[in-house]
Amino acid sequence: MMSRMTGMGWIALFAFVALGAPWHLAAAGEAPRQAAVATAHPAATAAGREVLQAGGNAFDAAVAVTAALAVAEPYSSGLGGGGFYLLHQADSGRDVMLDARERAPGQASRDMYLDDEGEPQPQLSVDGALAAGIPGIPAALDHLADRYGRLALGETLQPAITLAREGFEVTPMYRRLVGFRQEVLADDPGSREIFLHAGALPDLGQLIRQPDLAATLERLALEGRDGFYQGELAGRLVDGVRKAGGIWCRSDLAGYRVVERDPVVSRFRGFEVVSAAPPSSGGVALAEILNTYATLARRAGGLDDLSVLGLHYRIEAMRRAYRDRAEYLGDPDYVDVPVERLTSPDYAAGLAVGISPSDATPSASLAPVITAPEGPHTTHFSIMDADGNYVAATLSINYPFGAGVTVPGTGVLLNDEMDDFSQKPGVPNVYGLIGAEANAIAPGKRPLSSMSPTFVRNDELVGVLGTPGGSRIITMVLGGVLTATRGESVADWVAEPRIHHQYLPDRVEVEPGTLSEDQRVELELMGHRIETNDGFGNMQALAWWRDGNRLEAAADPRGEGEAVVFDLRQAP
Ligand code: DON
């Protein structure tokens, strides 16, 4: 054995002995012995728990939860959408990101949302079938089951199938979001029939049944990915999309693949922070912000995260990372994304040099770039099984109820994720994000995302977290990481008041109660423009405190989610 060890092998062995084993190997054999599920809907949490108790692992539970959310949170995610799954396998210690992001159809083109004068037509990438990318979620379910799960799709999809057939109850959140999209839903016969009641808002407690979606899930259970991307159902999807003004082709569906990518890993306060790789901007921006902030904290000889200086430095680090996001980030299969450079501590040290301790940097004074639209709904869930496998997944159809179009006879609600491309360099989307060449539309390309499923861990803690929230996802996850690395409880990670800056527009967004009056005044005197917005995000997180082997989970009090920690033998 020894004689076959390569030169590299010796170096690796030396590093291992000299620097200490990576934490996951040091921890081999340890397991939380309980399981935890945190999702944005109680029915999805119940589905995850049921599958874990039936002997499934965290990846099987991720299938069950994804499908149940597709039914019960139709405004957030679904079979017609996409997302990113961050997985950790306990036995190998391996982390991997499943990229199930939507792709632009083959007939998409760079200027498809511009009129003859070259002016953007914002509605076209938001409402209706032309806004829909090729979905990734059905392929992700098959991939999870096939490569990572223990159970067959027939078993893991069952709770969602039952839920779709029997119906879920209308909640206040459902009514609020239907109200937001009522016009577009009423215009589409498929959506109108399912999501509205005689064209009006359904009452609280009314049941929303989706028999066509139940049949589509059954077909997926029986035939796997081909049941969705090929054959009769694919024909129906393409037909429905084209009749509604879209440009999908059968080859777009047949050609869709989930891509496994290495996550972006950074280090902060002795923790390893593992997050989403491009085509999400999450991991890169998070690393850039954490590195810059750590440099500034060293320069200050220590920093309280919630002091005026801590908040000022956080804002300045966010500003610069979102500037770089706008310039450099896009689908790595189409453009070269300088991940190493942007996530290196040296690069952050350079950025920190330009940050004053007393004055805000106007965004306009940074080298200009030209950003992409984000919508106000999406979902995140976090799962850990008793063996120590875990999943963070953020999934989306973009806007509430996506494009608003449900393809007849399929129950599939189309996404409007094409809106995440930058339609024209420099033109801000409705959320004020701008984008450049790296995120221009091209056939088959994946639009840039902010979705950031994340792990934060060291020898004492494994944290699993994420949230919806469009452009603010990254800064909310940042808030979660800062709270986690201060050793606070998981209930605080999700509840922590939020603060956000995205380079342009040049303003700091805070929730009511984030800043004291004195802090607000001091930040304004430094030159920050501060706007208070309603609560944002819907974080779902869990923490395995390895010291004492304690599992905790929490659902964001801003949403309607549910988090549970349980023994496998315990009846639900
Ligand atoms: O991928 C993205 O970044 C967006 N489509 C996510 C949209 C979103 O989070 C809306 N949420 N509330």
Side-chain angles (χ1 to χ4, degrees), residues 418-465:
M418 292 292 286
D419 197 53
D420 278 348
F421 279 117
S422 114
Q423 289 150 35
K424 188 176 167 182
V427 174
N429 63 20
V430 265
Y431 296 96
L433 280 168
I434 53 163
E437 199 48 44
N439 190 31
I441 305 175
K445 193 173 173 186
R446 288 158 144 94
L448 183 60
S449 173
S450 300
M451 292 187 285
S452 315
T454 295
F455 305 148
V456 50
R457 63 194 179 200
N458 66 4
D459 287 341
E460 275 107 51
L461 168 69
V462 177
V464 181
L465 69 156

Side-chain angles (χ1 to χ4, degrees), residues 101 374-378 396 398 417 420 449-451 468-470 473:
R101 181 70 164 163
E374 315 268 355
H377 241 279
T378 290
S396 184
N398 201 26
E417 220 77 63
D420 278 348
S449 173
S450 300
M451 292 187 285
I473 291 175

Side-chain angles (χ1 to χ4, degrees), residues 92-141:
S92 61
R94 174 172 175 247
D95 297 315
V96 65
M97 181 182 95
L98 301 190
D99 169 0
R101 181 70 164 163
E102 298 88 341
R103 297 180 70 190
Q107 287 179 4
S109 59
R110 195 188 164 82
D111 297 339
M112 63 189 278
Y113 300 118
L114 304 184
D115 66 12
D116 294 343
E117 273 79 56
E119 289 309 311
Q121 307 267 280
Q123 267 349 84
L124 286 183
S125 61
V126 177
D127 299 337
L130 191 61
I134 305 301
I137 292 297
L141 296 177

Side-chain angles (χ1 to χ4, degrees), residues 145-167:
D146 189 49
R147 312 253 178 115
Y148 296 95
R150 288 186 198 136
L151 305 180
L153 283 177
E155 200 166 348
T156 49
L157 294 181
Q158 196 51 53
I161 294 170
T162 308
L163 191 64
R165 195 150 282 137
E166 293 180 356

